[in-house]
Each structure stands twice: as structure tokens, then as C-alpha cells.
Amino acid sequence: MTDKRSWLLGRWEPGDESYAVVFEISNTGRGLKVRAFNKNDGEEYVVSKIKWKGNALNFETSVPSNKWRTKNSLRPISKSKLIQELTFWEPWKKVASLK
């Protein structure tokens, strides 16, 4: 790989060390593979829908213990830095009706 996809290969952690998620990105020969896990307790996340979209790697994760789901977009800006756009889904409940 000679494009920015190759910059993503390796182990990534957030700059804010209070977050425990780790992404390991490797090349399978047929595309990129993402492993996601919690570095504090070792819980493996389920990763799906991995796709390179021109300038960003997109994928979804699901955390088995709490069913938390995220959509991730990782855009490499150098060989050692990336920007993550994160979308997450969480259930809400109505607590009052307004007139």
C-alpha cells in the first residue's frame, strides 16, 4: 500500500489516556482488518463493516458486555496521527410530556 491506508497500520490509542479503547489495524492482503479491545480489562469488541473510503477507514464496533455500539471513521493525517470521528447509539427514554 502506497497511500494513506498504510499509515493506519499499527496500534492506536486515544490521546486522552482516560479512554481504554485500543485499535489494532493490519493488512490482510484483501483489505484492512481492525481489532478493537479494552486495554484495562481485555474485553474484545466486535468489529464489522470495515471499509476504506478514499481518505478514511470506516467501521462499526459493538461492546458485548454493555451492547454499546459505535460508528468510527479514522482519517490519517500523518504516519503517527489520525483524527477519529465517532458516532454512538444509546437508548433514551421519555421522562415527561410537554404541552
Side-chain angles (χ1 to χ4, degrees), residues 14-21 39-40:
D16 180 348
E17 298 203 12
S18 66
Y19 296 106
V21 67
K39 69 180 178 180
N40 292 336

Side-chain angles (χ1 to χ4, degrees), residues 3-8 25 32 34 49-59 71-77 81-86:
D3 56 26
K4 290 184 177 184
R5 285 181 297 179
S6 65
W7 293 1
L8 289 169
I25 302 171
L32 295 175
V34 179
K49 300 183 182 177
I50 302 168
K51 186 164 186 165
W52 175 255
K53 293 248 185 166
N55 65 349
L57 179 64
N58 298 311
F59 58 93
K71 183 190 298 184
N72 304 266
S73 181
L74 306 181
R75 185 173 45 91
I77 56 174
K81 293 183 181 178
L82 62 76
I83 299 294
Q84 178 190 34
E85 181 178 336
L86 179 64

Side-chain angles (χ1 to χ4, degrees), residues 21-57:
V21 67
V22 175
F23 296 143
E24 289 183 349
I25 302 171
S26 58
N27 185 8
T28 66
R30 293 185 298 173
L32 295 175
K33 177 182 178 182
V34 179
R35 176 182 176 230
F37 63 94
N38 182 308
K39 69 180 178 180
N40 292 336
D41 64 14
E43 182 176 17
E44 293 281 335
Y45 301 170
V46 177
V47 179
S48 62
K49 300 183 182 177
I50 302 168
K51 186 164 186 165
W52 175 255
K53 293 248 185 166
N55 65 349
L57 179 64

Side-chain angles (χ1 to χ4, degrees), residues 38 41 43 45 61-69 89-91:
N38 182 308
D41 64 14
E43 182 176 17
Y45 301 170
T61 64
S62 175
V63 181
S65 64
N66 60 15
K67 307 294 186 231
W68 200 51
R69 293 179 42 228
W89 294 268
E90 66 180 357

